[in-house]
Every structure is written in C-alpha cells, then in structure tokens.
Amino acid sequence: AQSVTQLGSHVSVSEGALVLLRCNYSSSVPPYLFWYVQYPNQGLQLLLKYTSAATLVKGINGFEAEFKKSETSFHLTKPSAHMSDAAEYFCAVSGGSGTASKLTFGTGTRLQVTL
Amino acid sequence: KAGVTQTPRYLIKTRGQQVTLSCSPISGHRSVSWYQQTPGQGLQFLFEYFSETQRNKGNFPGRFSGRQFSNSRSEMNVSTLELGDSALYLCASSFRTNTGELFFGEGSRLTVL
C-alpha cells in the first residue's frame, strides 16, 4: 500500500521568497510521485511527476521537486513565490505501472502568498 | 484541444435519491478515473475505466458505480444518496492507464440535503 504525508496544512510566504512544501511517502514498491495544484473552484493540474528517471524533477510554473529515497521525501520548491502561486497543493503517490491512475493523495497544503 | 468536461457542475439532491454524473475526456484519452473530494476525507479514488472495462476500484460501497462507453465518455452513479455523499466529484482522463499523468475536469459539486 502507498501513502503520502504532507507536513503543514497551511504555508504562508512573502512574494519573492522561497516556497517549500513538504511531502513524505510510504510505498512497498518503487513509487510514482506527483505534485498537483488546485486553484479555487477548479480541478487539479499536474505540476510535475517522478517515475524513476532523474531524481530532480522540473515542472511547470518554475516548480521543481527532488526525490530522496533515503529520506522517503519528495518536497516541492520554487525559488521565488508569485501571488499567482496561491492555491492548494497536493502530493500523490501511485504504485506504478498497472495502477498508476489510482493515485493516493495527501491532505493538501494551502499556500498563501503575501505582499 | 478541449479539456475534460464534467456535467452538471452543481446539483442538489435529497437523501434517498440517486444521481448520475457525466464526464467527457480529452479527445484521444481512453482512461477515465473518478475521485471524490471532501473537506474531511480529502481526495479519494473511486474507480478507473479503460476501454470500457473497470481496471481499478477504490474502497467505496456498492452504491457508487460507473461505466464507460465506446467513445470513452464515462458516467458515475450514486444510488440511495446519504448526507455524507456531499462532495466534489472529479473526473480525470489520461491517454494510457499507466502514467499517473491525469488531466482533471472542474468537477461536479453534489449537495445532499
């Protein structure tokens, strides 16, 4: 079984500051890991994914995440926050091929960006 | 290319009724998944269809069912509605079933009174 834990349900940063959203995973098989973003009253949008290729994954809108097997982590970062980054972010894990569409999501982290 | 379309966007039902939600995937996508999103339980996987066959199923009671048509459009049905079924139901499509790269619709928000 797979699971993810997102540390911090709310994160507040100033515009231009570093964004760090934490995610730790648990998986009995090599995991596929994802970060999705949800803006108010919208569905989810894929930011980036890790599928056992490069451990540093670059996504859209300047976000990136690093897969660290030793720490079972997949934290999301962005060097400089923009007001438009305010949204809810979800980390997700799947069991890989065959069940890759059966995502297990974390509880989400709401990112607030202040002036 | 049009995105994933879900209808209706909002609906209100009463306990005991049933509801059918519809999802049209991105053209060419053959996999459709459904998720339930609630404040208390978060995002939970309901089921996945590929080429009209259910491939995976989450831990939901039998009142929740779905199907996929030959054109890849999908419907989900909830019978004998309960207050706890109030949620945002999200449909997602993908080209294949083994990538996890899902494209989500905006959801159908169901309120059960």
Side-chain angles (χ1 to χ4, degrees):
Chain A
Q2 295 83 36
S3 66
V4 290
T5 301
Q6 291 185 242
L7 300 176
S9 59
H10 289 84
V11 170
S12 182
V13 300
S14 300
E15 191 174 36
L18 171 72
V19 175
L20 171 61
L21 304 182
R22 300 178 186 274
C23 173
N24 288 89
Y25 71 91
S26 172
S27 179
S28 56
V29 298
Y32 286 9
L33 292 161
F34 309 85
W35 276 98
Y36 281 84
V37 61
Q38 186 176 33
Y39 297 100
N41 299 315
Q42 294 188 25
L44 281 74
Q45 180 182 12
L46 179 65
L47 278 176
L48 48 81
K49 65 178 181 181
Y50 166 78
T51 56
S52 75
T55 57
L56 182 61
V57 181
K58 294 188 183 298
I60 63 172
N61 301 339
F63 285 94
E64 62 181 38
E66 186 173 7
F67 173 74
K68 292 186 176 180
K69 185 176 180 180
S70 61
E71 299 177 7
T72 62
S73 68
F74 190 58
H75 302 330
L76 181 71
T77 61
K78 182 174 180 177
S80 176
H82 294 165
M83 295 296 291
S84 60
D85 294 327
E88 188 150 22
Y89 292 79
F90 293 92
C91 181
V93 64
S94 77
S97 181
T99 62
S101 294
K102 184 179 180 180
L103 298 178
T104 299
F105 285 90
T107 52
T109 298
R110 186 169 298 278
L111 176 65
Q112 180 183 22
V113 183
T114 59
L115 290 172
Chain B
K1 185 182 273 191
V4 177
T5 303
Q6 292 188 243
T7 57
R9 289 290 314 280
Y10 302 91
L11 65 166
I12 300 174
K13 294 286 187 178
T14 57
R15 281 180 297 175
Q17 289 187 309
Q18 73 166 15
V19 66
T20 299
L21 308 178
S22 179
C23 173
S24 293
I26 291 172
S27 178
H29 285 193
R30 297 168 63 191
S31 172
V32 174
S33 303
W34 289 89
Y35 288 81
Q36 181 196 63
Q37 185 176 27
T38 61
Q41 299 298 317
L43 283 153
Q44 294 185 287
F45 173 80
L46 280 157
F47 25 65
E48 179 202 1
Y49 288 87
F50 182 80
S51 294
E52 303 179 65
T53 301
Q54 188 180 87
R55 290 180 58 91
N56 287 295
K57 189 176 189 302
N59 295 324
F60 279 82
R63 299 185 297 107
F64 292 80
S65 62
R67 59 178 176 170
Q68 186 180 32
F69 302 96
S70 58
N71 62 357
S72 294
R73 191 177 69 84
S74 177
E75 290 181 347
M76 67 163 285
N77 184 78
V78 187
S79 63
T80 318
L81 284 166
E82 301 176 358
L83 295 179
D85 297 332
S86 295
L88 180 67
Y89 290 89
L90 292 164
C91 170
S93 74
S94 62
F95 180 67
R96 296 194 307 268
T97 188
N98 61 347
T99 67
E101 184 171 347
L102 305 181
F103 294 83
F104 282 83
E106 294 185 319
S108 294
R109 185 167 294 281
L110 170 66
T111 301
V112 182
L113 302 177

